[in-house]
């Protein structure tokens, strides 16, 4: 099951905190100190929902959680 994290830093243009799959090899993961681990989820949509309990604006990463990327 995929393990997800969310970037503590919001994206400059959108203000979104991006959810990432830690198994990604695409070079898109935030640095370790800028991650909040979310845990294992069957899908990125579940991880995005979990991240919304911590951050007001959340989006999936374009590279490793594309099915949850909306902006």
């Amino acid at each position: 099951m995929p393990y997800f994290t969310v970037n503590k830093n919001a994206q400059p243009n959108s203000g979104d905190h991006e959810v990432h799959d830690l198994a990604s090899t695409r070079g898109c993961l935030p640095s370790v100190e800028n991650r909040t681990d979310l845990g294992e989820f069957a899908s990125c949509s579940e991880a995005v929902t979990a991240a919304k309990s911590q951050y007001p604006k959340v989006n999936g990463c374009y590279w490793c959680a594309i099915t949850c990327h909306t902006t």
Side-chain angles (χ1 to χ4, degrees):
M1 192 171 311
Y3 193 94
F4 292 91
T5 190
V6 62
N7 192 334
K8 293 178 183 178
N9 299 317
Q11 295 298 302
N13 294 332
S14 66
D16 292 338
H17 292 266
E18 289 189 335
V19 169
H20 296 269
D21 181 344
L22 282 181
S24 176
T25 59
R26 308 273 305 202
C28 58
L29 298 176
S31 61
V32 174
E33 62 271 4
N34 292 328
R35 297 177 191 173
T36 299
D37 287 343
L38 298 171
E40 290 183 319
F41 294 95
S43 69
C44 63
S45 62
E46 293 175 14
V48 166
T49 298
K52 285 182 178 179
S53 70
Q54 299 178 48
Y55 299 102
K57 290 186 71 182
V58 179
N59 199 356
C61 171
Y62 177 81
W63 301 107
C64 66
I66 187 69
T67 58
C68 295
H69 181 78
T70 59
T71 58

